[in-house]
Amino acid sequence: MKDDLVVLVPGIMGTALTRDGADVWDLSAEAMSGLLRPRRTREMLKLPKGIGNDDPEPPYALDLGGVIHGRRLLPGLVSNMDYPDLRELLAIEKERFAEFPYDWRLSNRNSAEKLARFVEEHLTRWQKTADPQRFPRAREAKVIFLCRSMGGLVVRYYTEVLGGWEQTRSVATLGTPFSGSVKALRFLTGRVRWVSSPFREWIHEVCSTYPSLGQLIPTYRVVVDRQDRRSHLTGQPVEGVDTRMIDDSFAFFQEVQNAIEENDAVHGRERYTLVALGGDKHRTDQALSLSSEGTPKFHQDFADSGDPEDRGLPLFGDGTVAGVAQIPPEWPDTGRTVWLDSRHADLINSDHALKQLRRICNGLELAGVLSTGEPLGVEFPDFAQAGEPFEVWATNADAAMGLRVRRIGEDGRSAADGVMQSCGGGLFRAELRAEPGLWTVEVYSNALGYSCRDVQLVV
């Protein structure tokens, strides 16, 4: 309702992590190149092995800055487009809006515990200090959570395992990997796409120490085999990944699901409203197969499954999280998810998403089907080397769309703009080059009024 407290919970790279006032994960082209030289810098970014659900001690501890509203990128895993003042866009009064900053490297259990303390402090303050003339029902206020990506997992643990549902009115998630992400597993094995060695090696060295990323390992039946049905990863060694990390991911998701079942049985399913918004148009890692030695091979479909029915499963997602993983496991089908056209990085910028979030924050019913209905998907690398060509692809397109692609600099100006060429079969392609920097790459169509964007780091 309009008197509830609204809390924004970001995901990976959504909070500034600082040391001595410097944002250590603000990756620019210069910063990426610098990470290859001083090993001390990489050691600063790592966490100690076996940290589990604990907080790090010096020298691993970093300070919290604010929630980040600019473009950010963790090459090979996740990117975030910049977005303007969300509170203002959603017409939420300043005093009833709060942003939850947290160390996104740490276990989601750890972050959920901190969220519980954050909610207790901010909700109590809101209930006591809200102007009764403007907010007559604030004394009975609860929390409306707006969650980007992994932030939805933090909130799920808080609401279900820690009992936070009693303080919760509704939860809206954008691209949350409710059952993990194959892209995260690709990242943790050091097999990220487009990122060249030695960048790939230091990313794997540093980020494989982060419990939060381990808790993104997919828990749906993700392993395909030409002879057998799809299976889970549990009990199957994966080259480059500590089996304890796989076990912890399954334990985390199972803990949440067990709590949901118990809470539903005792307190009913309508304890709060859950709204999942996701992207379903873009090529996304869906599955993997394993050699006898545990070497993974990643797939964007289920064609290698021995069960013919698996080949009819949804094949797309938001470029980072598969569509099937953006659906809460307790939901019986895809029908309740609100599907958008945007890629993972830009979901929160979608006019359709903002319209939906505005209604949620005002206690109104959802607005129905929001997708344009166009099946158009886009794929481009999030990492490239200066002067080297890289490809941008569009799928399920046709010439009448008049697709174009452009690079947009940090100053908002277009540095290059060109026509995408047909390759047949609904595929369109363009080849670009870029100078070092953090760029926005956009595929757009003036005829459709269509735009799809993502972030790219060029070094």
Side-chain angles (χ1 to χ4, degrees):
M1 62 184 182
K2 291 185 177 182
D3 294 356
D4 286 325
L5 179 70
V6 179
V7 176
L8 173 65
V9 183
I12 295 170
M13 298 290 282
T15 301
L17 304 180
T18 69
R19 176 166 291 170
D20 299 326
D23 187 346
V24 299
W25 267 112
D26 186 7
L27 295 184
S28 62
E30 295 78 13
M32 282 288 288
S33 298
L35 286 169
L36 298 180
R37 294 192 293 270
R39 185 171 182 83
R40 180 168 53 89
T41 305
R42 278 180 280 170
E43 291 297 327
M44 178 177 65
L45 297 176
K46 293 169 68 174
L47 288 173
K49 290 184 178 179
I51 188 174
N53 301 312
D54 297 332
D55 285 319
E57 296 180 355
Y60 301 100
L62 296 173
D63 298 320
L64 292 182
V67 171
I68 297 168
H69 294 275
R71 294 179 294 179
R72 281 298 169 92
L73 177 70
L74 185 53
L77 179 62
V78 68
S79 54
N80 296 324
M81 287 295 302
D82 54 2
Y83 57 96
D85 189 336
L86 185 63
R87 179 192 64 79
E88 187 175 297
L89 284 173
L90 299 179
I92 300 170
E93 297 81 0
K94 184 177 181 180
E95 57 267 44
R96 77 175 187 107
F97 184 80
E99 297 179 334
F100 172 63
Y102 64 99
D103 188 338
W104 45 265
R105 303 174 303 163
L106 305 181
S107 165
N108 288 310
R109 297 184 184 93
N110 180 302
S111 299
E113 294 276 1
K114 292 183 173 70
L115 177 62
R117 295 193 288 272
F118 181 92
V119 168
E120 181 179 7
E121 175 188 346
H122 285 74
L123 182 58
T124 299
R125 182 189 306 159
W126 169 245
Q127 291 170 337
K128 290 181 177 179
T129 62
D131 183 347
Q133 298 299 318
R134 298 173 60 201
F135 307 103
R137 300 179 63 187
R139 301 298 178 269
E140 298 83 40
K142 293 189 175 185
V143 178
I144 296 170
F145 288 105
L146 309 181
C147 314
R148 294 191 73 176
S149 194
M150 191 182 74
L153 300 184
V154 174
V155 170
R156 287 268 276 187
Y157 196 89
Y158 162 72
T159 55
E160 301 298 344
V161 179
L162 302 182
W165 62 267
E166 294 187 79
Q167 285 77 45
T168 301
R169 183 81 60 193
S170 57
V171 176
T173 65
L174 294 112
T176 289
F178 287 103
S179 50
S181 168
V182 176
K183 192 173 184 179
L185 191 62
R186 180 192 283 276
F187 184 85
L188 290 167
T189 58
R191 290 172 172 81
V192 294
R193 301 175 67 193
W194 301 303
V195 181
S196 59
S197 180
F199 295 105
R200 181 172 61 244
E201 295 167 5
W202 82 252
I203 289 173
H204 176 256
E205 176 190 344
V206 169
C207 296
S208 61
T209 67
Y210 294 177
S212 62
L213 300 191
Q215 289 165 351
L216 297 181
I217 290 173
T219 57
Y220 63 94
R221 291 187 300 120
V222 71
V223 182
V224 295
D225 185 284
R226 289 189 178 275
Q227 305 302 320
D228 299 316
R229 296 176 60 88
R230 281 185 300 131
S231 60
H232 293 98
L233 269 175
T234 47
Q236 304 194 58
V238 181
E239 183 183 281
V241 180
D242 190 326
T243 55
R244 289 172 296 184
M245 185 172 274
I246 297 175
D247 292 342
D248 182 59
S249 181
F250 276 83
F252 174 81
F253 282 98
Q254 192 60 57
E255 194 175 355
V256 172
Q257 288 307 307
N258 289 345
I260 290 173
E261 292 177 11
E262 181 177 344
N263 290 332
D264 285 354
V266 176
H267 305 287
R269 293 185 176 181
E270 305 304 321
R271 291 169 285 118
Y272 62 92
T273 300
L274 174 61
V275 179
L277 298 95
D280 68 339
K281 300 290 194 299
H282 310 282
R283 288 181 175 179
T284 307
D285 286 335
Q286 309 278 332
L288 73 151
S289 53
L290 296 169
S291 71
S292 56
E293 294 79 26
T295 303
K297 178 182 178 182
F298 297 91
H299 305 275
Q300 293 185 338
D301 57 37
F302 296 96
D304 278 359
S305 172
D307 188 340
E309 292 185 6
D310 287 344
R311 297 167 197 176
L313 291 171
L315 301 183
F316 302 107
D318 63 13
T320 297
V321 184
V324 66
Q326 296 177 70
I327 305 166
E330 68 271 19
W331 288 6
D333 53 51
T334 65
R336 290 177 59 184
T337 303
V338 179
W339 297 112
L340 308 169
D341 299 326
S342 303
R343 287 173 63 83
H344 189 84
D346 209 28
L347 283 170
I348 202 166
N349 280 318
S350 163
D351 289 340
H352 300 314
L354 291 171
K355 177 181 179 181
Q356 200 75 293
L357 295 178
R358 193 176 298 113
R359 296 182 69 85
I360 292 167
C361 292
N362 289 326
L364 302 176
E365 294 293 326
L366 300 184
V369 178
L370 300 178
S371 173
T372 63
E374 297 291 345
L376 183 64
V378 173
E379 183 176 32
F380 30 52
D382 58 15
F383 186 90
Q385 291 189 303
E388 296 294 323
F390 63 89
E391 296 178 324
V392 177
W393 291 88
T395 59
N396 299 314
D398 60 63
M401 294 177 177
L403 291 180
R404 302 182 66 89
V405 61
R406 60 187 171 194
R407 290 187 291 113
I408 302 172
E410 295 187 64
D411 59 2
R413 286 189 282 184
S414 178
D417 194 324
V419 176
M420 299 191 72
Q421 303 296 326
S422 174
C423 300
L427 289 174
F428 280 70
R429 173 187 177 275
E431 184 175 284
L432 302 176
R433 287 177 172 84
E435 301 79 36
L438 194 62
W439 297 92
T440 295
V441 181
E442 179 182 38
V443 172
Y444 69 100
S445 164
N446 290 326
L448 293 177
Y450 172 87
S451 171
C452 184
R453 306 179 299 167
D454 213 320
V455 182
Q456 182 185 61
L457 179 65
V458 180
V459 300

